[in-house]
Amino acid sequence: MSRPAPAPDLTSDVVIVGGGAAGLSLALRLTAPASPTVTLVEPPDGPLRPPERTWCYWDQDTGGTHDPHGAGDFGAAVGASWSHLRVHGSDGRAVTVDPAPLRYRMLRSTDFERLVHARLARSPGVHVLRATADSVRNTADGTAEVRCTTPDGGSRLLRARHVFDSRPRPALPPARTRLAQHFRGWFVRTDAHRFDPGVADLMDFRVPQPPHGLAFGYVLPLAPDRALVEYTEFSRTPLTTGAYEVALAYYTHDVLKLGAFTVESAEQGVIPMTDARFARRVGPAVFRIGTAGGATRPATGYTFAAVQRQSRAIAAALHQGRAGVPAPHGRRALAMDAVLLRALDTGRINGPDFFTGLFRRIPPHRLLRFLDGDTTPWEEWGIGLRTPVGPMLRTALELPFLPRRRHGTPRTGDNHP
């Protein structure tokens, strides 16, 4: 059987490769009037298309009758939000905080995709192509080409002035420390009301701790009888699905004491936590965005909020006739994250005590701004004094002398957070 004839070249100002959080967010920002023409390349249905996943973030509460979650642009996609956050220490004591005016929000990838695609369909300058991107390259004339394979086996050649590539890197850049945030979660429905829909449990350290790294439970109530319940580790190597299932069974039955419940669906993922330097530019016309462009916060794994900042900045630059991908996180934030990752990896600090202490000793709004890289040096100094100063200082002094080495890349994705 002969292969379909190659389709004509498709030329646009911008090509976005990948339909995850980063690709969709940038495409959404480029639907404004006078935006450049855009081609969004999304993988077709099948094994290359990632399963549904959850993204979480916090931001200002906008409120409003038609926006029950106060989520602004994404109100229609946000499935739940919480005004209070809780952390359980390994000693069993809990601390509940109100980070007002911030709220913690959750959205499902399918809801976000539906919202973005509805807006893209109303934008005449955006074209969505379901295809597999085989190669991305800069050309001699300063533009870029993307070669794609369509679901019917045909080939497409896309030409653009700028390409923004959100696909996972084949390998992580050299780093001094590489951990992974890896997890498995159950969407559960209980036979009785077991959850408080107003409080999200960010970290519950009442689980057995691994010999290296840390582990915690994570509970996002969706209703009095429904929640996303996850088991998460920060460590060097992901677990098997069976090991996650054992950990979740212990957490739901022995710690949360949920009683009888049904698992309606599950999600699983791996997020890199590393002090690697992520190059965001790959030649004159090709850029990396999202996790591939360093949007994941090294010490927490949070990505979605940084992706929004990055997308807004890229769109603003393109509207002004410029191209570039700004750093998603400031240098001070990355330097502090590098120290924390190394201290966790060496075991110099106790992970559960460290994170529980932050929530017990620091005003919640300031702490969340710190985790977003939005604090002043003076505020960061005050936060630093509430951490184990000796181990953190020792780690900071040794970091400049440690070599950056290549590590294997865990299977990653833009799952929650």
Side-chain angles (χ1 to χ4, degrees), residues 133-167:
D134 300 314
S135 66
V136 176
R137 74 179 189 92
N138 293 276
T139 59
D141 62 0
T143 60
E145 292 181 348
V146 181
R147 293 188 178 274
C148 303
T149 302
T150 57
D152 63 1
S155 61
R156 296 296 301 269
L157 178 62
L158 312 181
R159 302 180 188 276
R161 289 193 297 155
H162 313 293
V163 172
F164 297 91
D165 190 352
S166 68
R167 295 174 300 169

Side-chain angles (χ1 to χ4, degrees), residues 384-407:
L385 292 177
R386 290 168 173 79
T387 66
V389 175
M392 298 293 278
L393 181 59
R394 176 185 171 190
T395 303
L397 291 174
E398 80 170 4
L399 271 179
F401 303 98
L402 296 177
R404 294 179 181 271
R405 296 189 175 92
R406 292 198 174 275
H407 300 266

Side-chain angles (χ1 to χ4, degrees), residues 24 40 42 49 112-122 128 130:
L24 289 172
L40 172 64
E42 291 189 320
R49 196 164 183 83
F112 185 66
E113 289 169 9
R114 190 178 302 113
L115 172 75
V116 173
H117 277 281
R119 296 184 185 177
L120 297 184
R122 299 194 296 267
V128 178
R130 285 292 184 95

Side-chain angles (χ1 to χ4, degrees), residues 53-54 180-186 216 218 228-234 238-241 244 248 266-271 301 413-417:
R53 55 258 192 238
T54 300
Q181 179 181 154
H182 51 98
F183 57 89
R184 182 171 175 82
W186 290 340
F216 57 89
Y218 179 67
L228 169 60
V229 180
E230 290 191 350
Y231 173 82
T232 302
E233 284 193 14
F234 293 179
L239 306 180
T240 64
T241 298
Y244 291 121
L248 277 167
E267 68 174 27
Q268 188 167 319
V270 183
I271 300 170
D414 50 359
N415 302 54
H416 98 90

Side-chain angles (χ1 to χ4, degrees), residues 264-353:
E264 297 183 323
S265 61
E267 68 174 27
Q268 188 167 319
V270 183
I271 300 170
M273 304 178 72
T274 173
D275 66 354
R277 294 168 177 162
F278 288 82
R280 300 181 300 280
R281 187 161 196 158
V282 189
V286 178
F287 305 85
R288 290 192 178 102
I289 59 174
T291 295
T296 298
R297 182 73 191 263
T300 65
Y302 281 99
T303 305
F304 191 82
V307 160
Q308 303 314 310
R309 293 194 299 270
Q310 191 179 66
S311 299
R312 284 191 292 266
I314 294 170
L318 289 171
H319 283 138
Q320 297 170 9
R322 298 180 290 105
V325 178
H329 306 288
R331 291 183 178 180
R332 291 199 318 273
L334 294 178
M336 290 184 289
D337 282 5
V339 173
L340 176 57
L341 288 178
R342 177 69 180 175
L344 285 172
D345 192 40
T346 58
R348 289 182 187 140
I349 62 172
N350 179 289
D353 290 349

